[in-house]
Amino acid sequence: VELLPERLAWYIAGPLIGLLVVALYAVANKHLGVTTSYLQVMTFVKSPRTAEMWRVWLFAGLVGGSLIAAFLKGGPSPNFTYGALGNLLPIAAIVPVLFVGGMLMGFRARWGGGCTSGHGITGAAILSRGALVGIVTIMATAIGITLIVHLITGGRL
Amino acid sequence: MNLFVILIGMAFGFLIVASGLSSYTVIHDMLLLRGSDVFLLMGSSFAVAMLRRRKWKTPMAGELSLNQVPNERKHVFGGAIFGAGWATAGTCPGPAIGMTASGGLLGLVVMAGLGSGIILRNLVAGNIFSRRDPPLDQAQPATNS
């Protein structure tokens, strides 16, 4: 059964995500961001006692909440598709490409202290200058590269 | 407190998947400037996230501490690196979890890449698996997390 629409409207999801930022400040005085949760999960696996547990719990929540939404959308159906990128590249090529893409984001988010959520929503909302510059640069670069690749591939990507 | 954090994480994960942010196609279309709804989504989260007083005694965690970081070169160069990764994978750290949970198993590859990038960064900085938060979080006071 599909209890959720294909896509929840932005004017519902957007404000609710904003409220989560405020909620995390309210209950924990913490800054909502996802990348540091990856780090703390890895830290937890290596030596549980040194991990910052709230970030590990946040990660666990993200996994749980994603699964709930996936089930309400009709159940997660395991697949190896990847949109237009998946149509263009064979699986042997897409794996290293995605790995490197992830690596760039992980390296940078850890270095600059923010990803799309940490900079783009939380950091920008507290009017942190670094975060504002960060998200503007992230957006401009991502859009620029995507449009250039779109042109180079003749619109296939 | 951790119970609330789990619930916040769950709500975040739920909204990421429910709103389609975990879909490569949705993000890729946004980066191609084909639609405005993801921009509107981010903009409205940003606007709502601003709804808090500058001096705010939070209900459960003391005086609100915000850490506004000044602009540094790393935000520009680093932002460009992140943007390149985002454009390549069409997903970012939170949505990659949602993608994997929705059955898009290649999301696991992105997640593995993210983990490796984080470790690589920490190796370069010489503090693998450090407890230290990145600058954005550094000035936060100790709370009983």
Side-chain angles (χ1 to χ4, degrees):
Chain A
V1 262
E2 295 186 26
L3 296 172
L4 273 178
E6 182 57 31
R7 289 189 59 197
L8 194 62
W10 68 265
Y11 47 82
I12 299 172
L16 286 177
I17 290 173
L19 278 182
L20 294 178
V21 173
V22 180
L24 190 60
Y25 280 132
V27 303
N29 210 346
K30 297 289 186 190
H31 186 100
L32 183 63
V34 178
T35 310
T36 40
S37 290
Y38 278 76
L39 173 68
Q40 292 305 327
V41 167
M42 292 189 291
T43 306
F44 182 76
V45 171
K46 188 163 167 276
S47 56
R49 273 185 302 167
T50 60
E52 259 186 292
M53 283 315 290
W54 78 269
R55 294 193 192 277
V56 178
W57 292 123
L58 185 76
F59 192 93
L62 279 162
V63 173
S66 299
L67 280 171
I68 291 173
F71 276 108
L72 293 179
K73 273 183 155 179
S77 46
N79 64 79
F80 286 93
T81 61
Y82 213 87
L85 189 63
N87 296 336
L88 194 66
L89 294 180
I91 195 95
I94 201 170
V95 168
V97 164
L98 291 180
F99 187 81
V100 169
M103 207 160 166
L104 288 172
M105 285 188 285
F107 185 87
R108 135 66 193 172
R110 190 65 195 132
W111 172 31
C115 54
T116 329
S117 57
H119 262 169
I121 298 170
T122 318
I126 64 170
L127 299 178
S128 163
R129 262 212 207 138
L132 286 167
V133 171
I135 190 63
V136 169
T137 317
I138 288 172
M139 281 284 182
T141 315
I143 291 169
I145 291 176
T146 305
L147 290 175
I148 290 168
V149 170
H150 187 66
L151 283 179
I152 293 174
T153 57
R156 280 181 296 165
L157 195 63
Chain B
M1 188 200 91
N2 284 335
L3 177 67
F4 289 103
V5 174
I6 293 183
L7 290 175
I8 288 170
M10 285 179 76
F12 196 20
F14 182 91
L15 289 168
I16 285 172
V17 172
S19 61
L21 294 181
S22 52
S23 151
Y24 169 85
T25 306
V26 168
I27 299 298
H28 188 242
D29 280 353
M30 166 198 119
L31 293 175
L32 282 174
L33 304 176
R34 277 182 180 157
S36 57
D37 64 319
V38 180
F39 292 109
L40 291 167
L41 189 154
M42 284 190 72
S44 57
S45 329
F46 161 76
V48 171
M50 286 180 78
L51 296 178
R52 44 108 196 101
R53 280 166 286 175
R54 189 159 289 277
K55 293 259 180 204
W56 183 29
K57 177 86 174 64
T58 63
M60 293 174 60
E63 196 72 34
L64 180 65
S65 69
L66 300 177
N67 181 22
Q68 288 155 313
V69 290
N71 177 29
E72 293 170 55
R73 276 171 50 167
K74 68 178 183 183
H75 291 117
V76 178
F77 293 111
I81 294 175
F82 189 96
W86 197 21
T88 307
T91 191
C92 52
I97 300 173
M99 179 188 283
T100 307
S102 310
L105 296 179
L106 287 172
L108 277 177
V109 178
V110 181
M111 289 175 70
L114 279 163
S116 309
I118 293 168
I119 292 172
L120 182 68
R121 161 69 186 110
N122 283 354
L123 279 174
V124 172
N127 54 343
I128 317 168
F129 300 118
S130 159
R131 273 202 67 151
R132 263 172 87 85
D133 281 337
L136 208 62
D137 285 341
Q138 261 176 19
Q140 286 179 348
T143 50
N144 48 344
S145 44

